[in-house]
Each structure stands twice: as structure tokens, then as C-alpha cells.
Amino acid sequence: MSNSTPFHKILIANRGEIALRVMRSARALGYRTVAVFSSADRNARHVREADQAVWIGESLPAQSYLNIPAIIEAARRTGADAVHPGYGFLAENEDFAQACRDAGLVFIGPSPQAIVAMGNKAGAKQLMMQAGVPCIPGYQGEDQSDARLHEEARRIGYPVMIKATAGGGGRGMRLVSDDAQFLDALRSAKSEAQSAFGNPEVILERAIIEPRHIEIQVFADRHGNAIHLGERDCSVQRRHQKVVEEAPSPAVDADLRRRMGETAVAAVKAIGYEGAGTLEFLLDREGNFYFMEMNTRLQVEHPVTEAITGLDLVELQLRVAAGEPLPIRQEDVRFDGHAIEVRLCAEDPSQGFMPQSGVMSRWEMPAAIRVEHALESGSEIPPYYDSMIAKLIAHGRTRDEARRKLHAALQDAVALGVRTNQAFLARCLAHPVFAAGGATTAFIGQHGEELLRDDEDDRLRARAIAAVLLACTAQERHGALGPQMAHRLPVTYHLEADGQACEVVLAHEGGARYGAVLGERRFEVQVLELGPNAVRLSFDGIVESARYVRAGDALQLHYRGVAYATVDRTREARSQGGAASDGRIRAAMNGRVVAVHVAVGDTVKAGQPVMTLDAMKMEHIHAAPVNGRVKSLAAAMGDQVAVHRVIAEIEAEQSQAEESQAA
């Protein structure tokens, strides 16, 4: 009997960069592709570039990308006979894998049974222990009472890690350092797990302090063959979310790689696994490694493995799913050089990495390295999905060469209109601890202040450039070195620069030369070339370039690898005053109202929750800025609101002195 499962058309049950990535390999093998899309993604690139596309629901994931019947029906309507889940959404959902099989579709991934076996942390840990895989000491029992878990935590010894059994991504996870904190942390973890996964169960593990996060890429086919493709180091994380990934790991030598790889291969053989998978381990300071979890799908960071092995992992997935044996043996796997990847996310590091959405007015990715993305200038980033918008991957003969290439390319990338973590990523790559290969999972926590600190001199220069560009483009006369200011008297520009008020005194000194004064600093700026979105200038005698986008009084600037947002408030400067305490609550990002905590007329205290917005799977509470009475609510449950829109107004309570004066 043949083990082959031929298919001809692949429906990609995902969106964005991973949908495009799967399409690329599918087309190279001669397969037709089908995209699915939500209302928010009608104009997305993955929709345009697929052979066919089907609308599957409204913007919320539950109404579209998590809607199993709609996806199966889309496959039926288009004649697709295989489904690739990508990562995220339904990629590790056993019900989806089973629904595909029941519909006669090839699910490009492991069996539903394997997904179930490895999807539950407690069950997966038991299986791995039976397979001889080293596991962190802990508790994964059925008794989930607070008393039993508290008792087990004391037995394990602090610090202890609480983990939700049903999920990942840091949700339902708490690090507890002493006994007095345990019960509060447990209740918080269970509540979050119930909300995120519909399952409050947890396991306990001894916390490994400042470990490396090392994962092993494995592949297995239905013919009993299994191999590993080396390790990836994913230690640079923020809130248990990966930020930087690299292969190979600076902390893994050939012997450790062999031992970890053999352990991972033995594990997947023990459960009869098929397809791509990743076993994740914690590596302690003594070189001991412990199983953490298994991801039964393609990983976001798979390009770094592709870069050092020369293999196309999506192609391997498709070949294995079609019933072919793995085309490569373990002894044929070769590792060449070093690769590093960063995740570019639409988020604001200065505001606690709050997710951002909106229109990306200017988007230019570097051609010198591999970039996986699905954006273009004018693309809208919706607030409903994960905040990652691109992956930048550099390969070099050595780790430092790869790091230098990626750092330079990251600085060259232009992303204007929506805040990103671009500058934060560049600082991670440039930090001496990372450069030396010494980053552990504690890296961002230990060096967060340095990584968030921008360059004061560059910031002042950017504000000076912004004022000059506002003057030069005031009449939209792009391509000319003007318009010239009608006089040479200094003009004060009142700017809102990245949310902060500042003043730039600008003097036209003839031709295209300007003097810009910010506080005690004075800069000499000469505009050499001016285009619609680019400027070449001499700044205190140094010639350099910048990119920009102007829309009305708003100007977005990319300068020295950092994006700056400036709004010209000069015309309204006289009427301003007290805006910060005017009682108006403005949306901190584009988002959907998921809770309204007060009613008009209610008395509130400063800091009291008024409204909660949801954006990119994260909830953000908007609180009253002053003590007072709710004067108005400008948004209701379910409304979609734009960033900076006034969503509520609090009428501040009068002080006794004000009341006496009024009387």
C-alpha cells in the first residue's frame, strides 16, 4: 500500500508574512494557493498574491481566522485539497487538524493525536520523562487545589515557576520567589489561563535562574525517519515573548548540540511524530538542559535555520505531507556560518510596548538581507492580530558579521506612520552583552533601561530637521529648495515631538540654509536635495540623508535608524494650555472597546478605570485623569476607536477655594 498523499492546491489558513512565505515555497513546487481573509484584510498582500482568495468572516479572529467551519468551506469551494496552518491561530489546534482530515483534506502538520499529546504541558512532560528526556523537577498532577499546589511548591523549593498547562506565550505564567507570594500568584495565573485558554490548570516547575532558551528543530516523516537541524538560541525575550533569535547558539558546542539533537530525535520517534516540530529546552549555567515544551508547527524563527542549513523548511513540510521520505539524512546536515533574526513589531517601547495600529505611511525594507513581511507604503495594520509585522534575518560567515549586517539593515529600514520597536531592536544588537554572546533570558530585564534610552543628541537633531522640513514643505513645493521664508527674523515653531511639547527657533539664513535653536543647542542646517519623501542635508558640516512623510501638520521622520513623529502645533499654541489635565480621555491606540466601567454622571477618582480597549490580543485600561464626574462617554461596547480619539470626558471636581471664588 502506498504511503503517498498527493495534493494539488493548498489553502493557507493564515495571514500576513507567513501566508506569503508558504506561498513562495508552494509555488516553487508547482502547487496552486488559496488565501483566506477577514474584513480587515480585504486589501492585504497575501490576498492579492494568492491564486484564489476567500472571505471567511469579520475582523475579530474568532469570526475569521479561528472559524474552522468557514475555513473548511473555503477549501471546499475552491477545490483545495490541502491546508497549511502557518503558525499562530489554528496551527496547534487538534480540532482543526481533525476537521481537515474529516473533510478529506491533507493537513500539512502532525496528526491530531500528536498535537493533543504535546499541546498540554503536563501530559507532554510525562511523555518526555517516559522517553528519557531530561525534565525540570516539578508537579504536574491532577489535584489542582490551592492547598496541594502550595504544598508542592514548598516541596520543589523556591523560586518556582507556575505555568498554564494549555497554552504559551507567557500567559498564565508566574515566577514566584518566596512562599508568601505563592497563593496570590497562583490565583492570578489560573485566572489568566482560564481567560486565555478556557482552562485554569497549571503545572509547577523549579525556576531555572537566568537560563538560555534553546530549541531544537526536528523533522520526521511517516516512514520512520527523523532528523534534527541543530539549535536556535531564543534567549532574548520580553515577557516570555521572543525578540531576537539566532543559530547556532553561542552557548552550544558540537558535543552539546549532538546530545540535545539526539534527545530531540528520540522524543519525536517515541510519539510517532510527522512533520516539522521544535523541542524547547532551558540550558542552565552548568550546561544541563531540561525539556520545556514542544511546538507542533513551523516556528516564527525558522529562517535562521534555513540560512545556516541551506534547506527550505516549508518545502520539507510539503514533501513530508505528500508522503515523501525525508530527502536528507542526519549525517548530510551541514551548518554554514551564523544567522540572526529580529521581530519587528508595531508597538511603542516607551509606553510599555503597547501594541500600535494604523496606516504605515512609508515602508521601505533593506534589500541587503532577507526580510519576511506583507506590507507596503499605505498598508493598514489592523488592531486585531499579533503585533509582529516583519522579520529581518541576516546571515554571515561569523556571528559578529551576521550581527553587524543585521544592525546596519535594521537602521536602514524605514517604517513611518506606526510606532515600532525598531530602535529597541537595534540597541539590543549593539549592546556589549549581546555582542559578546552572553545574553540569557534575563537580558532585557537586566538592561531594559539602557535598551529604552534614546540618544539625546540625535533626538535634538531630529527635531531641528523636522522644523526645517516643515518650513521647506509648507506649500508642498517638493523638489525645490524652498519655499524660502519671506524674512530672516527667527520664527518659533511649537512642536509636539513624540508626544512631548518643544520649541524650535528657526532662522532662514539665505538660500537653503537655516539656523535651528533648541534650548541651549544651535544647529546649522543646509538642505542640499529635497524630494517627496527624502532629504539630503548638511548638518553642522556633516552631509547625511533622512526619509520623511508629511501629511498636513504631521511629519514622520526616519533619521539615523530611528523614527520620529512630529506635529506642528504653532498655530494653536496660543489657545493651548491645560490640555493634559482637561479631563478628556483619549484612546492610546487604535482598538476595540471591550469594557465600559462607568456611566455618565458617576463620580470617579483619578486612576479609576473608565474604559478598556483591546488591541492585538492585549487589553489596555484607560483611567480617569482627575477626580470628578463623568461628563460624557464618546464610545460604547464593541466600538472601534482610532488612536487619540476622545473616548470619555471627566468634569474635574472644584476645590474648596474655587467653589468659594465661584460663589
Side-chain angles (χ1 to χ4, degrees), residues 185-201:
L186 176 65
R187 294 184 185 112
S188 174
K190 282 187 169 185
S191 173
E192 187 172 78
Q194 176 65 46
S195 175
F197 312 116
N199 182 350
E201 293 184 6

Side-chain angles (χ1 to χ4, degrees), residues 15 36-43 46-47 54-61 63-65 382 384-385:
R15 64 182 298 277
V36 293
F37 63 94
S38 68
S39 294
D41 282 338
R42 285 187 184 278
N43 300 314
H46 79 277
V47 176
V54 180
W55 177 79
I56 53 169
E58 296 300 333
S59 300
L60 292 175
Q63 300 168 337
S64 50
Y65 297 108
Y384 310 102
Y385 314 118

Side-chain angles (χ1 to χ4, degrees), residues 126-448:
Q126 291 283 14
L127 281 172
M128 292 299 100
M129 291 171 68
Q130 292 168 15
V133 177
C135 294
I136 302 171
Y139 172 75
Q140 50 274 342
E142 294 182 4
D143 187 345
Q144 290 283 304
S145 67
D146 289 2
R148 177 61 185 275
L149 290 166
H150 200 176
E151 176 188 334
E152 292 294 337
R154 289 167 173 157
R155 177 187 62 79
I156 295 165
Y158 294 99
V160 164
M161 187 69 80
I162 304 171
K163 291 183 177 181
T165 65
R171 288 172 292 181
M173 185 180 292
R174 298 290 186 276
L175 175 63
V176 187
S177 57
D178 62 60
D179 195 68
Q181 301 174 351
F182 182 80
L183 288 176
D184 285 342
L186 176 65
R187 294 184 185 112
S188 174
K190 282 187 169 185
S191 173
E192 187 172 78
Q194 176 65 46
S195 175
F197 312 116
N199 182 350
E201 293 184 6
V202 299
I203 64 171
L204 305 179
E205 290 180 345
R206 179 186 299 158
I208 309 296
I209 303 303
E210 296 185 17
R212 296 270 191 166
H213 183 138
I214 308 294
E215 60 188 30
I216 303 291
Q217 176 71 60
V218 292
F219 256 96
D221 62 27
R222 67 187 63 173
H223 305 279
N225 304 307
I227 61 172
H228 74 85
L229 300 178
E231 83 284 356
R232 296 184 288 257
D233 194 316
C234 307
S235 299
V236 180
Q237 302 177 3
R238 182 185 60 77
R239 298 175 189 158
H240 305 291
Q241 295 282 343
K242 299 166 186 174
V243 175
V244 183
E245 301 108 339
E246 60 182 307
S249 167
V252 175
D253 59 20
D255 179 65
L256 181 55
R257 179 175 302 113
R258 177 188 57 78
R259 289 189 287 120
M260 293 184 76
E262 289 175 352
T263 298
V265 168
V268 296
K269 283 187 173 181
I271 61 172
Y273 192 79
E274 179 184 327
T278 304
L279 278 83
E280 304 202 2
F281 298 92
L282 293 180
L283 179 68
D284 69 17
R285 295 168 180 169
E286 287 72 44
N288 303 305
F289 61 92
Y290 304 96
F291 172 78
M292 186 167 52
E293 64 183 5
M294 182 177 183
N295 291 303
T296 55
R297 54 170 167 79
L298 193 70
Q299 293 279 83
V300 174
E301 57 273 19
H302 75 273
V304 295
T305 297
E306 294 184 324
I308 66 167
T309 63
L311 299 170
D312 182 328
L313 270 59
V314 176
E315 177 184 334
L316 286 180
Q317 282 188 298
L318 300 181
R319 292 191 182 280
V320 167
E324 296 181 26
L326 283 169
I328 187 171
R329 298 172 299 176
Q330 189 65 60
E331 56 266 31
D332 299 324
V333 176
R334 296 288 182 268
F335 302 111
D336 173 36
H338 202 99
I340 308 176
E341 171 183 295
V342 292
R343 301 188 185 192
L344 185 65
C345 297
E347 59 188 18
D348 186 353
S350 68
Q351 299 295 323
F353 295 89
M354 182 181 291
Q356 304 291 298
S357 56
V359 175
M360 189 64 77
S361 53
R362 198 70 186 174
W363 178 260
E364 298 174 14
M365 290 295 104
I369 65 166
R370 176 176 173 178
V371 182
E372 299 284 353
H373 69 95
L375 299 180
E376 54 201 358
S377 295
S379 289
E380 183 167 0
I381 299 174
Y384 310 102
Y385 314 118
D386 191 88
S387 63
M388 190 186 79
I389 54 175
K391 305 180 306 195
L392 288 78
I393 308 101
H395 179 254
R397 289 173 297 175
T398 65
R399 181 177 187 271
D400 202 51
E401 180 181 312
R403 185 186 66 84
R404 288 197 312 270
K405 285 182 178 180
L406 185 55
H407 185 261
L410 190 58
Q411 290 184 306
D412 290 341
V414 178
L416 296 176
V418 178
R419 290 185 184 274
T420 74
N421 63 341
Q422 178 180 0
F424 175 81
L425 293 173
R427 294 186 196 110
C428 285
L429 295 176
H431 195 281
V433 171
F434 181 83
T440 69
T441 54
F443 173 71
I444 290 179
Q446 291 174 341
H447 305 287

